[in-house]
Amino acid sequence: MKSVAASTILGIGHYVPSKVVTNDDLAKLMTTSDEWIVQRTGIKERRYIEHSGIGASDLAVPATKMALEHAGLTEKDIDAIIFATLSPDHNFPGSGCFLGHKLGIGGVPALDVRNQCSGFLYGLSIADAWVRAGMYENVLLVGAEVHSTGIELNDRGRDVAVLFGDGAGAAIIGAAKDSNQGLKAIELHADGVGAKDLWLEAPASAYDPRLTPEMLVEGKHFPAMNGKQVFRWATEKMPEVSKKVLEEAKLAASDVDLFVPHQANLRINQMVGAKLGIPEAKTVANIEKYGNTTAATIPLGLSEAWREGRCRRGSNVLMAAFGSGFTWGAAVLTL
Ligand SMILES: CC(C)(COP(=O)(O)OP(=O)(O)OC[C@H]1O[C@@H](n2cnc3c(N)ncnc32)[C@H](O)[C@@H]1OP(=O)(O)O)[C@@H](O)C(=O)NCCC(=O)NCCS
């Protein structure tokens, strides 16, 4: 194994399904309104898969192909897969196994990461360690979610249902080509004190049987959230951990060329940006179009921003996330 000085993002891609679901569409299924949703979250529409039979790994395939093309690589160059999702195709095996098979690269190791909204950053830390150790040359890191089949589209589930959308992002992590490039700092955290403030209770190995008809009636198989608690923690932890990585990387907020925060709520990100002193012009905000795509938000946002010319090789990119667990983290990387 030949160790490597630093890893970076060699290529990035994304994919969203074609079905657009507006706030007005949701207002036909539950008591809500475009005004309520936009005011509190900034979301105007989100994407849903077109039909049953499409899982997180299916959305990851076109995102991966886009990332490979961007990196100038092919499927055969992928040495390992890391798949971050909270909505795996099936309970087990991991979606990474399904993805590897669909990409025609059977035999390549595949690891699923179950860290919800922070999944991409947790995955990035693993990919970085593998590349730097010389264990794998090109690591495919995916964040992909199909939420639309797992939310309750009625009044009981409306607080959660309006927030989420389907989508995928993929990055190829490999050796940085010049000495200024690479992941400069990354910090990860988790605190189970908030585990039940944003969770999906069943099916559960903690219960025997794991799922009962009563649980289905009560909706225990849908996500449940204490929105205010999540809001409070997110607006405290995201700036805190972002400041730490900038400090570690010896960068000032003004050195950040692009800030890619997890897209959970526009208001959260505006508060985080203000606390960090990073202007909105440098901050990715695509929640209006896609809602919260959980593990996919950061690679999806970075992929769009790169293609729009908002960042380029040599740009300093700050990423930060907060979500279920609670889990949170931040990373700063020179592309
Ligand atoms: C979810 C969130 C937008 C709710 O906003 P809020 O101002 O806290 O709203 P509340 O939960 O206090 O609800 C206010 C009212 O709106 C109602 N409401 C909830 N969802 C609604 C919806 N989709 N449409 C209309 N009304 C809704 C509530 O029932 C409540 O009614 P009540 O006052 O009669 O009880 C906000 O808490 C939030 O964004 N939290 C963070 C969530 C998040 O980021 N989750 C993902 C983390 S990765």
Side-chain angles (χ1 to χ4, degrees), residues 5-331:
S7 79
T8 195
I9 294 175
L10 302 180
I12 192 143
H14 67 276
Y15 174 78
V16 289
S18 60
K19 186 174 165 189
V20 176
V21 177
T22 65
N23 292 343
D24 287 336
D25 293 331
L26 292 183
K28 291 177 194 139
L29 305 170
M30 61 189 80
T31 316
T32 192
S33 66
D34 180 56
E35 194 193 357
W36 193 98
I37 301 170
V38 171
Q39 255 181 22
R40 283 178 175 72
T41 71
I43 301 167
K44 291 188 178 161
E45 56 190 44
R46 70 287 289 143
R47 302 296 181 95
Y48 284 2
I49 52 165
E50 296 82 2
H51 55 81
S52 171
I54 299 172
S57 71
D58 295 298
L59 302 188
V61 172
T64 298
K65 289 186 187 293
M66 195 181 195
L68 284 170
E69 200 186 324
H70 192 207
L73 298 171
T74 71
E75 284 83 346
K76 301 284 172 253
D77 296 311
I78 298 170
D79 302 304
I81 300 169
I82 300 174
F83 199 120
T85 186
L86 69 65
S87 51
D89 299 49
H90 298 280
N91 238 324
F92 71 83
S95 285
C97 297
F98 288 101
L99 177 60
H101 179 64
K102 285 170 187 166
L103 294 173
I105 52 171
V108 167
L111 170 71
D112 266 38
V113 168
R114 299 289 307 277
N115 285 70
Q116 304 71 248
C117 301
S118 312
F120 186 79
L121 294 181
Y122 270 78
L124 181 62
S125 75
I126 301 164
D128 170 63
W130 280 351
V131 168
R132 280 191 298 107
M135 190 159 169
Y136 300 116
E137 204 176 321
N138 299 306
V139 179
L140 168 62
L141 170 59
V142 167
E145 307 284 358
V146 172
H147 283 304
S148 56
T149 51
I151 46 180
E152 196 174 16
L153 294 165
N154 59 29
D155 278 6
R156 186 174 66 179
R158 67 181 179 172
D159 59 331
V160 174
V162 300
L163 303 177
F164 292 100
D166 303 340
I172 310 293
I173 311 299
K177 303 270 184 298
D178 79 56
S179 59
N180 184 44
Q181 280 180 343
L183 185 66
K184 298 287 160 67
I186 186 159
E187 277 245 3
L188 305 170
H189 296 277
D191 192 336
V193 73
K196 295 182 181 177
D197 283 323
L198 181 49
W199 72 328
L200 194 152
E201 192 176 346
S205 68
Y207 302 147
D208 187 9
R210 294 180 176 196
L211 187 65
T212 62
E214 292 74 31
M215 288 185 213
L216 284 171
V217 170
E218 287 168 43
K220 302 280 190 200
H221 59 305
F222 292 119
M225 179 181 71
N226 177 348
K228 282 198 166 40
Q229 188 75 336
V230 174
F231 196 98
R232 209 172 299 127
W233 273 69
T235 48
E236 183 191 322
K237 295 300 179 189
M238 282 171 73
E240 187 181 284
V241 71
S242 298
K243 280 181 187 163
K244 271 197 164 161
V245 290
L246 286 174
E247 214 177 282
E248 207 180 306
K250 299 188 173 48
L251 292 173
S254 56
D255 296 321
V256 174
D257 299 303
L258 188 73
F259 177 35
V260 193
H262 168 55
Q263 306 284 309
N265 183 316
L266 188 63
R267 285 190 305 147
I268 292 180
N269 289 350
Q270 285 167 339
M271 287 172 79
V272 173
K275 281 189 183 179
L276 290 171
I278 297 177
E280 286 187 22
K282 286 185 176 182
T283 304
V284 168
N286 60 12
I287 192 167
E288 182 181 306
K289 297 188 288 183
Y290 305 131
N292 181 349
T293 57
T294 309
T297 64
I298 291 179
L300 173 49
L302 181 58
S303 175
E304 281 198 332
W306 204 329
R307 283 171 176 84
E308 287 161 6
R310 297 180 68 193
C311 62
R312 57 195 62 80
R313 282 273 162 240
S315 296
N316 293 321
V317 177
L318 172 67
M319 299 169 264
F322 182 89
S324 161
F326 294 136
T327 59
W328 65 100

